[in-house]
Each structure stands twice: as structure tokens, then as C-alpha cells.
């Protein structure tokens, strides 16, 4: 008999298998593409009903079909609900959370890349990147945590940071600053939400092959991937599914004593030597 999971409101019987999300409700932002899509599909396959939010309605529809297939439900039978929205729009996020009902899981994955040197960075560049990558995650965390607290549910919130917070790279000021802010948000919210039984952790991926990294152009992509393969003890770059598995771990009871942590799935590139 597995040990019950202590929560401030008593105990919760763990799922028979710790990665089983049967009966859980999850909100996933950035779910139309890349890491967010892979996460939505994996969580649906693990039994969750996934509420998929993103700017891109066509991408969301494709994700919903894949999630339904992963859940074994067949397309359109209810493994996924789509919410086309912008994470810079507080009211839209609030409406999606209200429509979803009490949340057990939130994965704040939506994000954008931006490159410019420090001297060429404008106020507008910085405002835009922070609005999506930091404040978008903050809004998602706030709305999700309020939903979990109101329902008295011991939830799990997963944020998306980046390996960029561990290194200085020319051109990445706005992006890495926004992700460093996500790390501090994660740790701070973990301390404040812990007494409600809510866990908050971040994933900080290395280089992952997604449409975002593809936008650097074929040349930069090839050179960066070759460098990452050389640096990574595992000898490859990451795929979206590698990161989705890290999110599943943090979202599920498998990580029941983890909070305020930064998980770094990166093939080993950030190990000191
Ligand atoms: P992706 O394929 O571009 O997916 C990001 C998704 O977020 C896209 O569907 C995008 O829509 C959506 N999005 C962007 N701005 C939004 C907004 N304001 N409101 C709602 N949705 C929005 O990128 P990815 O590589 O999967 O990245 C996912 C997350 O992982 C990001 O936070 C990224 O910073 C982080 N990350 C990625 C890597 C990597 O190597 N790929 C490494 C570390 C961290 P549009 O396409 O319409 O803009």
C-alpha cells in the first residue's frame, strides 16, 4: 500500500502509480507548439484532462487531436480543451482558468525568444520579452494558485525557465533576464504556496529542437547543435518529449517532496568540470 501524501488539509491517497494523472485537471500555456505541445500530449496520455492555451488556434487544434489520441480517447472525445489566448491578457487567462474548473496542475510554458546586444536593446524589446516570458508566467501562476487554493487542492505548478540563466551569452540579455525572473518567481511562490499544499518548481532546459530554436535560422541552428552535442555527455540535443517528461515528473506525485527546485534536463551540458 503506497504511503499517503501529507497535505495541509489532511492526506491525499496517491495514485497507484506515481505518474498516473487520472482525474487531474491541467492548464498548459504554450501548448500549440514544441515543448508545450509535447507536455500536453504526455499529460493527457498519463490521464489528465489538459486545458491547452496559446496564441495559435490552429496549433491548439492539432495538439488537442494528438492529446486525445494519446489518451486513447479518439479525436474530440474530451481529453483536451483549447483556449486561444495571449498570456499578456490577464482577463483571458482568468476566464480560461474559470472555465477549466479547479486545477490540479499548471504548466506555464508559453515564451518567446529575442536576441539583441545590450547596447542595441530598446525599452520596447525588454518590455515585450518580460511581458510574455516573466509576467505571462506570473499571471498564469497567480490564476492557477488562486484556483487551487480556493478549491483546497494540493496542486503542482511548473514554470519554464532556461539553461540561459546559468550562462552569459551575447545577445541573450532580455531572454535570460526574463528566465532568471521566472526562477525567482518559482522559488518565492514555492515558499508562499507551500502551506496550501501547492508545489512550485521550474524546468530549465538546454537546447531543445523546436520551432523556437528553428527560428534562429539553419546556419545558427546547425552550429549550436554541433556545439551542444560536443558539450553534452549524452552526445545529443534535446527533443520536446525530453522536457515533457521532466514536467510530468514535477506535475505528478512522483515529485511529492519537491518544491522550489530547478530541474535541468540538458544532456549534462551544465555540469561543472
Ligand atoms: P515554441 O515552439 O515557439 O512554442 C512556444 C509557444 O508559445 C508557441 O506556440 C507560441 O505561439 C506560444 N506563445 C508565444 N507567446 C505567447 C503569448 N503571448 N501568449 C500565448 N502563447 C504564446 O517554443 P519552445 O521551444 O517549445 O519553447 C517553450 C518554452 O520553453 C519557452 O518558454 C522557452 O523559452 C522555453 N525554452 C525553450 C528551449 C529550447 O531550446 N527550445 C530551451 C529553454 C527554454 P506563437 O508560435 O504563435 O508565437
Amino acid at each position: 500500500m503506497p504511503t499517503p501524501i501529507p497535505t495541509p488539509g489532511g492526506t491525499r491517497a496517491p495514485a497507484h502509480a506515481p505518474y498516473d494523472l487520472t482525474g487531474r485537471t491541467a492548464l498548459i500555456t504554450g501548448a500549440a507548439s514544441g515543448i508545450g505541445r509535447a507536455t500536453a500530449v504526455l499529460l493527457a496520455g498519463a490521464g489528465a484532462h489538459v486545458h491547452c492555451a496559446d496564441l495559435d488556434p490552429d496549433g491548439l487544434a492539432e495538439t488537442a487531436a494528438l492529446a486525445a489520441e494519446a489518451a486513447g480517447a479518439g479525436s474530440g472525445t474530451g481529453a483536451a480543451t483549447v483556449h486561444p489566448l495571449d498570456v499578456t491578457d490577464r482577463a483571458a487567462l482568468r476566464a480560461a482558468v474559470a472555465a477549466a474548473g479547479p486545477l490540479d496542475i499548471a504548466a506555464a510554458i508559453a515564451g518567446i525568444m529575442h536576441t539583441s546586444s545590450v547596447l542595441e536593446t530598446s525599452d520596447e524589446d525588454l518590455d515585450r520579452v518580460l511581458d510574455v516570458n516573466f509576467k505571462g508566467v506570473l499571471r498564469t501562476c497567480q490564476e492557477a494558485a488562486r484556483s487551487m487554493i480556493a478549491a483546497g487542492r494540493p496542486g503542482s505548478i511548473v514554470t519554464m525557465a532556461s539553461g540561459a540563466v546559468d550562462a552569459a551569452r551575447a545577445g541573450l540579455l532580455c531572454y535570460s533576464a526574463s528566465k532568471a525572473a521566472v526562477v525567482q518567481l518559482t522559488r518565492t511562490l514555492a515558499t508562499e504556496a507551500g502551506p496550501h499544499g501547492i508545489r512550485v518548481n521550474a524546468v530549465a532546459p538546454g537546447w531543445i529542437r523546436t520551432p523556437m530554436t528553428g527560428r534562429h535560422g539553419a546556419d545558427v541552428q546547425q552550429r549550436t547543435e554541433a556545439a551542444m552535442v560536443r558539450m553534452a555527455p549524452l552526445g545529443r540535443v534535446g527533443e520536446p518529449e525530453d522536457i515533457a517528461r521532466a514536467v510530468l515528473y514535477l506535475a505528478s506525485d512522483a515529485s511529492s517532496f519537491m518544491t522550489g527546485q530547478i530541474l535541468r534536463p540538458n544532456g549534462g551540458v551544465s555540469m561543472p568540470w
Side-chain angles (χ1 to χ4, degrees):
M1 187 69 182
T3 313
I5 295 168
T7 74
T11 57
R12 180 172 77 201
H16 180 64
Y19 291 94
D20 185 359
L21 301 182
T22 303
R24 312 252 174 116
T25 301
L27 171 71
I28 299 154
T29 71
S33 177
I35 293 168
R37 167 175 288 173
T39 299
V41 172
L42 189 66
L43 267 55
H49 184 104
V50 289
H51 288 265
C52 301
D54 200 289
L55 284 175
D56 172 10
D58 296 338
L60 281 175
E62 285 172 35
T63 299
L66 292 167
E69 202 179 304
S75 191
T77 56
T81 305
V82 299
H83 303 270
L85 59 78
D86 188 328
V87 295
T88 66
D89 181 345
R90 162 86 62 186
L93 264 174
R94 187 167 288 167
V97 169
L103 294 177
D104 302 287
I105 296 161
I109 298 177
I112 53 173
M113 172 52 70
H114 172 83
T115 52
S116 60
S117 71
V118 171
L119 297 189
E120 285 167 349
T121 295
S122 67
D123 288 355
E124 291 73 24
D125 291 336
L126 185 58
D127 287 348
R128 188 173 61 87
V129 177
L130 289 178
D131 201 13
V132 178
N133 288 8
F134 171 55
K135 290 166 80 177
V137 173
L138 172 63
R139 295 180 193 99
T140 306
C141 288
Q142 288 172 321
E143 298 305 324
R146 285 179 186 134
S147 159
M148 292 168 184
I149 291 168
R153 283 165 106 115
S156 172
I157 297 175
V158 183
T159 62
M160 198 53 55
S162 166
V165 301
D166 294 321
R169 293 261 179 268
L172 282 191
L173 169 72
C174 293
Y175 183 76
S176 54
S178 70
K179 295 299 186 178
V182 167
V183 166
Q184 283 310 104
L185 161 65
T186 303
R187 292 175 169 149
T188 308
L189 184 58
T191 65
E192 295 175 2
H196 296 281
I198 298 169
R199 299 184 297 106
V200 191
N201 293 285
V203 178
W207 179 278
I208 311 301
R209 207 174 271 156
T210 68
M212 176 182 279
T213 43
R215 277 180 216 117
H216 289 294
D219 188 37
V220 173
Q221 187 171 22
Q222 270 170 17
R223 271 189 286 118
T224 313
E225 290 197 358
M228 292 296 166
V229 167
R230 272 197 307 278
M231 283 191 287
L234 292 183
R236 66 176 179 86
V237 296
E239 300 293 339
E241 291 72 20
D242 290 311
I243 308 310
R245 291 180 194 121
V247 178
L248 172 60
Y249 168 65
L250 292 173
S252 70
D253 292 346
S255 60
S256 53
F257 201 44
M258 292 271 288
T259 198
Q261 303 302 309
I262 315 302
L263 197 59
R264 293 176 167 80
N266 58 23
V269 293
S270 67
M271 284 195 298
W273 53 279

